[in-house]
Amino acid sequence: VGEEGGRGGGGGRGGRVCGVATRSVLRRGAPASRGNPARTVTCMAKKQNRVVVTLECTEQKGSGVPGISRYNTTKNKRTSPDRLELMKYNKYLRRHTLHREIKK
């Protein structure tokens, strides 16, 4: 019965690794094009605690220099519920400046 039969160990044609895109596993017999649908093997879902945030430079607005320095990053909303502040490089001012999380 092996990897085509349903339950079974990893290896073979159906990559059963968590967090990695898995290949489709064909059922025993005809190819998928003849009405034999392929199934995808996946792992249990993880809780979604990470969110994508945008960081924007705080010093550039008052300086009159054109352009906006922005970075996208992720943060764990459970461990850091307040706004994120990081020193990041601003290519318009050519130095490291304070970047704060903004709402989109």
Side-chain angles (χ1 to χ4, degrees), residues 48-55 71-77 84 101-104:
Q48 300 296 323
N49 290 330
R50 298 202 75 77
V51 292
V52 177
V53 295
T54 302
L55 303 175
Y71 286 90
N72 289 326
T73 186
T74 60
K75 77 169 188 175
N76 189 329
K77 64 183 176 182
L84 192 61
E101 178 183 341
I102 61 168
K103 287 196 172 190
K104 289 186 177 182

Side-chain angles (χ1 to χ4, degrees), residues 48-83:
Q48 300 296 323
N49 290 330
R50 298 202 75 77
V51 292
V52 177
V53 295
T54 302
L55 303 175
E56 186 177 88
C57 181
T58 58
E59 299 178 22
Q60 191 171 353
K61 290 181 181 178
S63 67
V65 177
I68 297 286
S69 176
R70 287 188 175 165
Y71 286 90
N72 289 326
T73 186
T74 60
K75 77 169 188 175
N76 189 329
K77 64 183 176 182
R78 181 178 291 173
T79 60
S80 57
D82 49 341
R83 297 261 176 120

Side-chain angles (χ1 to χ4, degrees), residues 3 8-12 14-16:
E3 60 266 6
R16 296 171 188 244

Side-chain angles (χ1 to χ4, degrees), residues 4-44:
E4 292 113 9
R7 299 177 192 237
R13 289 190 316 210
R16 296 171 188 244
V17 179
C18 292
V20 179
T22 58
R23 292 189 213 149
S24 296
V25 179
L26 294 177
R27 291 187 185 157
R28 192 180 293 264
S33 61
R34 291 191 196 162
N36 192 359
R39 64 182 175 84
T40 306
V41 179
T42 56
C43 294
M44 291 179 59

